[in-house]
Amino acid sequence: SQGRGDKGKLVWERAEEVVTALDEAFYLSFSLVEPTGQRIVVGLDVSGSMCALVPGLNLSCREAACAMTMLALRTEPNTHILSFQETVKPLAINSAMTLKQAADFTNGLPFGATDCAGPMLWASRNNVLADCFIVYTDCETNYGSVAPSAALRAYRDQTGIAAKLIVVGMSSSMFSIADPADGGMLDVVGFDAAAPLLMSEFMLGRI
């Protein structure tokens, strides 16, 4: 569908009917996903490094993150989508968009440094109730003056909700943000087809 191969110099004209069929198949697969019914805040890293490829997949980190975001929008009705770098803002993508439209939209946003605590701090400031925070980034899992684990604990104290945190470093080989002593935090290092089910099971308390 991209009009070129992963290797070599071959290029060809995209068949739009094939691209449309692939998009439709992608969204039809969402019917197989078990909704958690939880209140979710998704934080999408929009820094420039998100153009890096996910190891082992023909997808950029931005495309993979947008795919997971579209999954949340279409299966979880109580979902807030945020973009984050040094600052955090609501992200104006919606379930009617195609994956390409969502990825192109995030690609057009201004870039900056990465602060993975941003989504929790935003929810605290705006009194947004959430059962789980999901942060999608590439290999940059930095934070500012507040660590993500500390931001989550402060949010729990403020709201009385035993909120969980999932940080997905899609092109990382090693990082640690979650407090290993806290069963409500999960680091996902790398990304493959098994990750969505793993994350869902964690949110539902099955693992």
Side-chain angles (χ1 to χ4, degrees), residues 1-2 4 6 14 23 26-27 30 44-54 57-71 93 98-107 136-138 170 191:
S1 66
Q2 61 188 354
R4 58 179 174 78
D6 295 333
R14 284 167 33 122
D23 266 340
F26 170 65
Y27 287 124
F30 290 178
L44 188 59
D45 181 359
V46 295
S47 63
S49 56
M50 288 290 283
C51 63
L53 290 178
V54 178
L57 296 178
N58 184 31
L59 286 175
S60 69
C61 294
R62 178 174 291 110
E63 290 169 329
C66 284
M68 292 299 294
T69 300
M70 299 305 288
L71 173 63
I93 61 176
T98 65
L99 176 56
K100 183 178 186 304
Q101 287 171 333
D104 287 347
F105 182 83
T106 60
N107 190 43
Y136 293 106
T137 183
D138 52 348
M170 289 181 288
F191 190 82

Side-chain angles (χ1 to χ4, degrees), residues 61-118:
C61 294
R62 178 174 291 110
E63 290 169 329
C66 284
M68 292 299 294
T69 300
M70 299 305 288
L71 173 63
L73 283 171
R74 292 204 172 197
T75 60
E76 304 287 358
N78 298 313
T79 299
H80 291 273
I81 308 297
L82 309 174
S83 65
F84 75 91
Q85 38 175 303
E86 296 116 321
T87 59
V88 181
K89 297 180 180 179
L91 187 58
I93 61 176
N94 59 70
S95 60
M97 288 180 167
T98 65
L99 176 56
K100 183 178 186 304
Q101 287 171 333
D104 287 347
F105 182 83
T106 60
N107 190 43
L109 297 174
F111 299 148
T114 303
D115 184 357
C116 290

Side-chain angles (χ1 to χ4, degrees), residues 99-188:
L99 176 56
K100 183 178 186 304
Q101 287 171 333
D104 287 347
F105 182 83
T106 60
N107 190 43
L109 297 174
F111 299 148
T114 303
D115 184 357
C116 290
M120 286 75 75
L121 298 175
W122 175 87
S124 294
R125 288 193 303 269
N126 292 279
N127 298 313
V128 172
L129 302 182
D131 300 300
C132 187
F133 295 88
I134 306 175
V135 174
Y136 293 106
T137 183
D138 52 348
C139 60
E140 297 184 12
T141 52
N142 304 321
Y143 51 86
S145 59
V146 181
S149 57
L152 180 68
R153 291 192 189 96
Y155 177 83
R156 290 169 174 168
D157 291 342
Q158 176 182 321
T159 62
I161 300 171
K164 295 183 177 182
L165 170 64
I166 303 172
V167 179
V168 185
M170 289 181 288
S171 65
S172 291
S173 58
M174 183 184 303
F175 78 91
S176 180
I177 281 184
D179 180 347
D182 189 324
M185 302 185 197
L186 174 68
D187 289 330
V188 178

